[in-house]
Amino acid sequence: MNGSVNRAEYEKVQISPWQLFALLMITRLVPVVIGFPLASVTTQEQDLWISVLLSIPVSLAYSLLVVRLCEAFPGKSLIGILLHLLGPVLGRFAGLLLLNSWILILAAMLRAVAEVNVAAVTPETPVVVFLALLAAAAVYAARKGLEPIARGSEIVLIILSGFFLFLLVLPLNLAEPSNLLPLLEHGWETVILGTLNTVSFYTEFAIAGMLLPHLRHRKGGRKPVIGAVFASSALLLVFIVVLIMVFGSLLSSIAFPAFSLARVVSVGEFIERTESLGMVAWVLTHSLKCSLFTWACAVGLAEVFGIPDAKPLMAPLGFLSVALALTFFRDGFELYRFFQVRTGGALNLGLHLVLAFAVLGGLAWKKLTTGK
Amino acid sequence: MPLSASLEENASALREAFGSSADLVLRYIELATSPKRRTAVVAYIQGMTDRQYMEDSVISSLSTFDGHTLTAASIIEVLRDGVLTVADVETIDDLNDVKRHIAQGYCAVLVDGCDKAIVGDVTKWETRSIEDPTSESTVSGPKEGFVESLSTNITLLRRYIRSEFLRVEYFYSGPVSRTPIALVYVAGIASERLVQEGRERLRRLDVDGISAGLEEYIEDAPTSLFPTLLKTQRPDRAVGALLEGRLVFLVDGNPETLIAPATLHMFLSSSEDYYERFWVGTMFRWLRMLGLLVSLLLPGLYVAVTTFHQELLPTPLLLAIAAQREGIPFPAVAEALLMEVIFEILREAGIRLPRIVGPAVSIIGALVLGEAAIRAGLASPAMIVVVAATGVASFAAPAASFQNAIRLLRFGFTIVAAAMGIFGMSLLFFVTVISLCDTRSFGTPFLEPIAPTVVMDWKDSLIRAPSWAMKSRPWLIWPKEVKKPHGRPVPWSKGRQKE
């Protein structure tokens, strides 16, 4: 941020490139801070870090497609672009499919935090209590609008960075580098599955399509999006390496690897069992991501159905996400299994692949018919 | 309502307007005019005027005035320009204006046959002398604070900024009290839009009287728990804000000025920071931030850890706390709330008690009650330590209004900690952060420069950089000139050493 932006320009737009970066970082890292979905993709965990590396170009290409689309249609959100390119019927259908996937992600996030709390802290409290409270906080923030959520992300990102530093440095005394070997012992299957799985999670960057129209500089979206892909990938890479070194072959059987990593931390026999402290980062990041997705879903739904104000949709969305979180997943393990590439992850990848082709087709058709 | 040419009608109207109030003085004086002698009335409120000044500059001048050649039309102008020796005079022709001036301590001169009046500023009333402000004491720096007199307070500001750029605009609130409010800013630094916003908010004031509580009417978030305008009794603090491009509001009768826009870090800064080495100033700020977190979260954290997250404590400490809590009939949350409430009552009583006995009673009360609570098995020693540490930490924030918001929020954190442990505290923290992110002070985001991040403003918020390194004014208050003259250190040079 610098002094070259004048006041009128600042007030008209809502978020800065740094805030976009923070929002995307949190969006990507949230599934990592409690569980580590990549960890349960296979039993050949020592090759998973290669998957993270291989996923970078694909994730980057997908994210840049979203950015390029938003640059080509300034002021339009991703849902608006779908409506514009695919027409009112097909566009609405595609938009609803995308929103549906986001609502499922929202429900999964709610369930993840609630599940950990019930499993590890307050087993007597019904899971619905946690779900309802988290959803209420998300709806409260979503009703405040994108600006407070984006500003909140700057603070949450600082806390998240501290959490990662803590989680990556302190358990190093338990790390066993030999766990990383042998490489590619069972061929490329693990690596490919891991890559697809990671890319599946990176499709959440489509949310950038709802944020970019609110960016201060129309052409300023590339740097934060590219930065978020690289920074989050780097963190994932380091994180998976630490997890493999600490847990070795046990990794694939742990339901919440990050949670377990916090549990094994011990500093001078004084700071121990820090999973409760990690809860601060988990709750903050999940609440923020839930707020962002609630806001994006409400705005998207309003756009699809031509409702002028998205605010009245937010509370019903909160209820819907709680209901889905209660009924769709039986437990935490199932939650992460659902998003694996062998199950729901494949659907997710397929959806985004189809959407990408549909958008490109729509673009080509528009160019053909209008010459622009 | 226009003035009448009849003196008696005007005098009666004044008497009627003031309800024949005992302190309204109407002094009749015969003027030496021809062809007939005219009568003049000097109207003023007893006790609000400088009696000696009145006698010398108004009464005596009128009594010795020789106006044989003057006509009714010109007499007012002559009296105003050549007879009355009051520094600040003006002619008005509206009775309501006359009443308003008299109520403010001016004297009004009305002459028979003239439908105009002269009002002169002869105000003077008893005021408190300038003292060290009680609420924002510093070890170093000036020892003077604002008082209840508006003119004295403006003089204090002018002593610091001796230039024509310091602008003062008066507004009068309420049809009954007509309390003067001054909007002060530095032209050329404060943005015109901010000044206009300040003017608009003061113009929209529609209240009976406003000696206190102006902020409730002009702030952006009137229902927020946190104050969004900074109150200060220190002129140096107000001047610092003015030179950054902020507005200062002064209300007659109130020693506390309001600074707008105010952001979170300002509530954690003190004038002291600038009177110490910048390293020390930075350390002070970090200590206050730590104090803020301790004050807000410590009781809740204690309750959460002892109730839900015992694994966080090392075993010896856990055993020690468990041993202390053995025999305590309440759960940790009841114990915490009980001790917190007692501490708050002691603190409140300490403020209200007579100054001579207040500190003694609160100190003895705290010691005796704490000791007695432990002996009676109502509280554990660990809880007393937590409550005491929280209480001390809460005083670290220099702004009392901010301390009070934290005090209230602390109870919320303690209760959610008892219900849901760290999960509940984190969720409440998130809601608080979002609420603060949504808050603005005169359009400036309350959490600036952290959220939104403005790196160039960190040097006078997260840290206290050296004065010569502060090359710009806070960006998000949109000063006319972001860059400011900052100077640079002038060390002893070798060249000069040779000379």
Side-chain angles (χ1 to χ4, degrees):
Chain A
M1 188 171 284
N2 58 56
S4 63
V5 179
N6 67 37
R7 183 173 187 157
E9 197 181 341
Y10 184 84
E11 287 183 352
K12 189 178 68 189
V13 291
Q14 290 180 303
I15 63 169
S16 66
W18 171 248
Q19 288 170 343
L20 176 65
F21 172 81
L23 284 168
L24 292 178
M25 281 291 281
I26 291 166
T27 298
R28 180 60 192 98
L29 295 176
V30 157
V32 178
V33 292
I34 293 183
F36 198 96
L38 191 58
S40 52
V41 73
T42 172
T43 50
Q44 310 306 321
E45 63 288 321
Q46 69 267 33
D47 297 335
L48 287 174
W49 62 271
I50 307 173
S51 307
V52 178
L53 277 180
L54 291 180
S55 70
I56 294 176
V58 188
S59 311
L60 197 60
Y62 181 75
S63 308
L64 285 177
L65 172 69
V66 176
V67 175
R68 186 68 193 90
L69 268 178
C70 290
E71 283 175 357
F73 298 95
K76 274 192 168 37
S77 72
L78 191 55
I79 301 291
I81 294 170
L82 286 175
L83 289 171
H84 178 76
L85 287 178
L86 306 180
V89 178
L90 209 57
R92 279 199 173 91
F93 180 69
L96 282 174
L97 279 179
L98 186 63
L99 291 173
N100 179 53
S101 75
W102 286 348
I103 291 171
L104 266 183
I105 291 170
L106 182 59
M109 282 185 295
L110 293 178
R111 187 67 194 231
V113 179
E115 201 61 46
V116 171
N117 272 287
V118 172
V121 186
T122 50
E124 295 91 5
T125 311
V127 72
V128 69
V129 174
F130 293 105
L131 293 175
L133 283 172
L134 207 59
V139 169
Y140 169 80
R143 286 180 67 85
K144 293 274 180 191
L146 179 60
E147 222 171 42
I149 296 174
R151 287 186 196 146
S153 72
E154 293 177 90
I155 295 171
V156 172
L157 187 64
I158 297 169
I159 296 169
L160 187 64
S161 308
F163 169 70
F164 268 105
L165 197 69
F166 167 83
L167 215 55
L168 296 178
V169 174
L170 294 186
L172 282 181
N173 58 330
L174 303 169
E176 185 54 65
S178 63
N179 286 341
L180 291 166
L181 297 172
L183 279 181
L184 297 173
E185 191 185 14
H186 300 277
W188 284 90
E189 189 197 345
T190 301
V191 176
I192 291 167
L193 278 176
T195 305
L196 289 175
N197 202 54
T198 310
V199 172
S200 167
F201 277 91
Y202 267 109
T203 55
E204 289 180 13
F205 269 32
I207 201 86
M210 303 301 284
L211 305 174
L212 285 165
H214 300 275
L215 193 66
R216 181 174 309 141
H217 308 289
R218 197 187 128 197
K219 297 262 181 188
R222 276 180 201 213
K223 275 187 188 172
V225 172
I226 294 172
V229 171
F230 278 113
S232 58
S233 297
L235 264 176
L236 288 178
L237 189 70
V238 178
F239 202 26
I240 191 79
V241 167
V242 172
L243 280 173
I244 295 166
M245 288 199 297
V246 172
F247 293 116
S249 56
L250 290 175
L251 183 58
S252 54
S253 59
I254 298 173
F256 301 112
F259 185 85
S260 302
L261 193 61
R263 186 171 268 181
V264 298
V265 164
S266 172
V267 182
E269 294 185 354
F270 184 76
I271 301 173
E272 288 176 324
R273 299 286 309 274
T274 53
E275 68 271 22
S276 304
L277 287 181
M279 197 180 291
V280 178
W282 303 328
V283 176
L284 289 180
T285 49
H286 276 74
S287 308
L288 196 107
K289 189 174 170 185
C290 288
S291 313
L292 177 64
F293 273 66
T294 306
W295 174 85
C297 289
V299 170
L301 276 175
E303 224 166 325
V304 165
F305 294 113
I307 302 167
D309 186 10
K311 263 191 182 179
L313 299 174
M314 289 170 183
L317 263 172
F319 280 111
L320 179 67
S321 54
V322 171
L324 276 175
L326 273 174
T327 53
F328 214 79
F329 311 103
R330 270 178 307 185
D331 54 40
F333 205 73
E334 185 177 290
L335 182 83
Y336 281 113
R337 225 171 23 215
F338 177 78
F339 285 99
Q340 294 306 323
V341 76
R342 283 198 176 103
T343 50
L347 278 176
N348 189 40
L349 273 177
L351 167 71
H352 284 270
L353 207 61
V354 168
L355 281 182
F357 278 117
V359 164
L360 291 173
L363 275 172
W365 176 252
K366 283 273 171 194
K367 198 170 181 181
L368 207 67
T369 51
T370 61
K372 288 181 186 172
Chain B
M1 185 182 172
L3 280 166
S4 160
S6 159
L7 182 64
E8 263 323 301
E9 271 185 32
N10 289 334
S12 303
L14 282 179
R15 275 197 209 96
E16 196 182 330
F18 282 89
S20 299
S21 186
D23 56 352
L24 174 71
V25 179
L26 297 179
R27 170 80 155 84
Y28 285 79
I29 298 169
E30 287 290 317
L31 300 179
T33 52
S34 64
K36 61 163 188 168
R37 291 176 78 82
R38 286 177 190 277
T39 309
V41 159
V42 181
Y44 61 94
I45 301 273
Q46 210 171 29
M48 290 189 73
T49 52
D50 184 342
R51 195 180 175 89
Q52 190 60 47
Y53 187 41
M54 276 274 295
E55 278 181 15
D56 294 347
S57 306
V58 181
I59 312 272
S60 169
S61 302
L62 289 174
S63 304
T64 56
F65 163 62
D66 181 5
H68 281 95
T69 58
L70 292 174
T71 61
S74 61
I75 191 163
I76 286 290
E77 278 70 34
V78 172
L79 286 178
R80 184 192 64 198
D81 299 335
V83 177
L84 299 176
T85 52
V86 178
D88 181 8
V89 286
E90 62 173 308
T91 309
I92 51 180
D93 54 9
D94 187 79
L95 184 64
N96 289 330
D97 270 354
V98 175
K99 287 186 283 191
R100 187 165 55 81
H101 277 89
I102 292 172
Q104 283 170 11
Y106 281 55
C107 72
V109 178
L110 299 119
V111 181
D112 194 20
C114 301
D115 57 0
K116 287 181 181 169
I118 305 166
V119 286
D121 184 3
V122 288
T123 51
K124 188 184 180 185
W125 49 77
E126 292 306 316
T127 55
R128 183 165 62 92
S129 59
I130 295 169
E131 294 163 359
D132 192 11
T134 48
S135 61
E136 293 167 90
S137 302
T138 57
V139 177
S140 327
K143 305 289 177 205
E144 54 187 17
F146 287 121
V147 291
E148 285 75 8
S149 162
L150 182 60
S151 55
T152 309
N153 292 344
I154 289 172
T155 311
L156 282 172
L157 292 178
R158 283 215 179 268
R159 267 181 42 204
Y160 282 90
I161 305 174
R162 299 182 190 199
S163 87
E164 71 277 23
F165 297 113
L166 184 71
R167 302 285 159 81
V168 181
E169 293 179 18
Y170 282 107
F171 296 82
Y172 296 89
S173 83
V176 181
S177 73
R178 299 211 43 89
T179 312
I181 302 170
L183 166 65
V184 187
Y185 59 94
V186 178
I189 298 179
S191 93
E192 193 47 52
R193 191 168 158 187
L194 183 66
V195 174
Q196 192 56 34
E197 184 68 35
R199 283 186 197 126
E200 280 302 313
R201 292 190 190 197
L202 288 180
R203 277 191 199 123
R204 285 202 299 262
L205 268 181
D206 184 21
V207 285
D208 279 347
I210 192 108
S211 67
L214 173 67
E215 70 272 22
E216 288 188 29
Y217 294 98
I218 61 170
E219 64 190 342
D220 292 52
T223 53
S224 170
L225 185 61
F226 288 91
T228 50
L229 296 178
L230 180 68
K231 285 180 186 174
T232 183
Q233 292 188 23
R234 296 189 64 91
D236 54 343
R237 191 103 206 254
V239 166
L242 285 169
L243 292 175
E244 284 180 338
R246 299 180 202 271
L247 307 179
V248 169
F249 297 92
L250 300 118
V251 183
D252 194 39
N254 192 342
E256 285 193 319
T257 59
L258 297 173
I259 295 173
T263 46
L264 177 70
H265 76 84
M266 292 172 72
F267 293 91
L268 297 172
S269 309
S270 158
S271 303
E272 187 91 54
D273 302 349
Y274 302 96
Y275 300 126
E276 294 290 346
R277 305 283 298 163
F278 66 92
W279 297 109
V280 181
T282 302
M283 184 194 71
F284 284 165
R285 285 193 183 177
W286 289 356
L287 280 176
R288 283 185 216 115
M289 288 174 204
L290 182 67
L292 167 76
L293 288 176
V294 168
S295 161
L296 185 65
L297 302 174
L298 189 61
L301 213 54
Y302 176 82
V303 171
V305 167
T306 52
T307 313
F308 295 104
H309 312 284
Q310 294 92 345
E311 74 279 356
L312 265 175
L313 297 173
T315 312
L317 182 59
L318 180 64
L319 290 175
I321 290 176
Q324 287 171 17
R325 293 214 70 246
E326 202 179 10
I328 308 284
F330 312 117
V333 62
E335 192 189 355
L337 289 176
L338 180 74
M339 295 316 294
E340 279 289 331
V341 169
I342 289 174
F343 181 83
E344 292 299 336
I345 291 172
L346 269 171
R347 180 166 156 169
E348 200 58 26
I351 298 167
R352 312 284 163 232
L353 281 166
R355 204 170 276 184
I356 302 168
V357 294
V361 169
S362 42
I363 291 167
I364 293 168
L367 288 174
V368 171
L369 277 174
E371 180 69 20
I374 294 170
R375 282 178 184 275
L378 296 173
S380 62
M383 178 53 78
I384 300 291
V385 172
V386 166
V387 172
T390 307
V392 172
S394 71
F395 288 103
S401 55
F402 192 73
Q403 287 173 15
N404 295 338
I406 296 295
R407 279 161 75 184
L408 203 56
L409 200 55
R410 185 194 308 144
F411 284 99
F413 273 100
T414 310
I415 291 165
V416 294
M420 318 207 95
I422 288 179
F423 171 83
M425 289 182 76
S426 306
L427 208 57
L428 182 58
F429 185 75
F430 173 75
V431 170
T432 308
V433 165
I434 289 292
S435 166
L436 287 177
C437 286
D438 188 43
T439 305
R440 284 175 179 265
S441 173
F442 271 69
T444 300
F446 188 64
L447 292 186
E448 188 268 348
I450 304 164
T453 307
V454 185
V455 178
M456 62 192 272
D457 288 354
W458 284 2
K459 57 189 171 299
D460 195 17
S461 51
L462 295 182
I463 58 166
R464 203 288 265 175
S467 302
W468 42 263
M470 295 192 202
K471 298 175 181 175
S472 57
R473 300 188 171 94
W475 185 62
L476 275 185
I477 59 170
W478 313 103
K480 273 186 180 165
E481 280 293 327
V482 174
K483 287 192 176 173
K484 66 174 184 179
H486 51 86
R488 56 181 180 181
V490 189
W492 183 254
S493 73
K494 282 183 180 173
R496 271 186 286 159
Q497 209 168 8
K498 280 176 190 167
E499 285 168 23

